Amino acid sequence: MRAILLLLACIACGAAAQEYPNKPVRMIVGFAAGGISDVLGRAVAITLSKELGQQVIVENKPGAGTTIAGEFIARSAPDGYTVWLQDITTHAINAALYTKLPYDSMRDFTFVSMIASTPLMLVVHPSSPAHNVKELLAQLKANPGKLSYGSSGNGTIVHLAAEMLRSAAGVEVLHVPYKGSNPATQAILAGEVGFVFSTMPPAISNAKAGKLRALAVTTAKRVAAAPEVPTMIESGLKDFEVVLYSGVLGPKGMDRAAVRTLNAAFARSVHAPEIVKVFEQLGADPLAMRPEEFEAATLREMQKLAPVVRSSGAKVD
């Protein structure tokens, strides 16, 4: 009798796993609307909804360098219906940047899938005297402590990239954090800050419209979406390479069947022709990894970026 009951329980578990998903899935983004995470999330949500047969709802929870969203996810039910589309580079940075986090960056999450890699774009207002990176560095050195830069929040890759530039210049620059790359870009459009390492969606559209001046991209190679813009390395800053990786996390202990289903659905979604086209326009490359590969890649990012954070002097209490 006991064997029969165990068999029935296993059958019931299998049937329950096959039912996933049977209701809408919430995909949390830790930034305000308009940034790369938000744009990628909303694009992928369309094809992902088709793959899953359930609506995928994107919900923004910006602030505190994505740690607000991170804490929300860490405390969510691990049933696969609440996941986090995160800037994985920022996630890795936060582990070293914050003296205290409300979660453990590795142990408190389930790794579902990496989905994309993108560059940042260094932009200034058209009225800026800097027409290239060399001229911006000269401006910073000539005006120590007088210029400011905007970021998408403390601990974000946008913050760290600017700190790397500040370190290269060897001068003090005021950091003004915002709740996302789009608000930071709006600030530079208004002339409130001197420069921003913006994510591609707000930067590239405003640069092409002449509302911002693009000085460089942060990847090792130029991007097809803006082939006229040089890299930071071409601009004279050796080894200055910053890649923004985007991936999907869930709460710790997430149902493994749900993880497998989501991982496969994300892989198909990011390689759908219509999504590949959107990614190309953003300078993004689609990525698909098995959960264990994604987890290992995140750990490598943490190990690589921790010394960069320390050398930059950036710290958030």
Side-chain angles (χ1 to χ4, degrees), residues 245-259:
Y245 292 102
S246 299
V248 179
L249 304 171
K252 176 184 178 180
M254 191 168 150
D255 180 78
R256 300 314 299 174
V259 173

Side-chain angles (χ1 to χ4, degrees), residues 189-220:
L189 285 168
E192 295 175 7
V193 292
F195 66 92
V196 172
F197 276 91
S198 176
T199 55
M200 291 295 278
I204 200 165
S205 59
N206 284 297
K208 289 185 180 296
K211 296 179 180 180
L212 291 175
R213 181 183 299 142
L215 302 188
V217 291
T218 61
T219 39

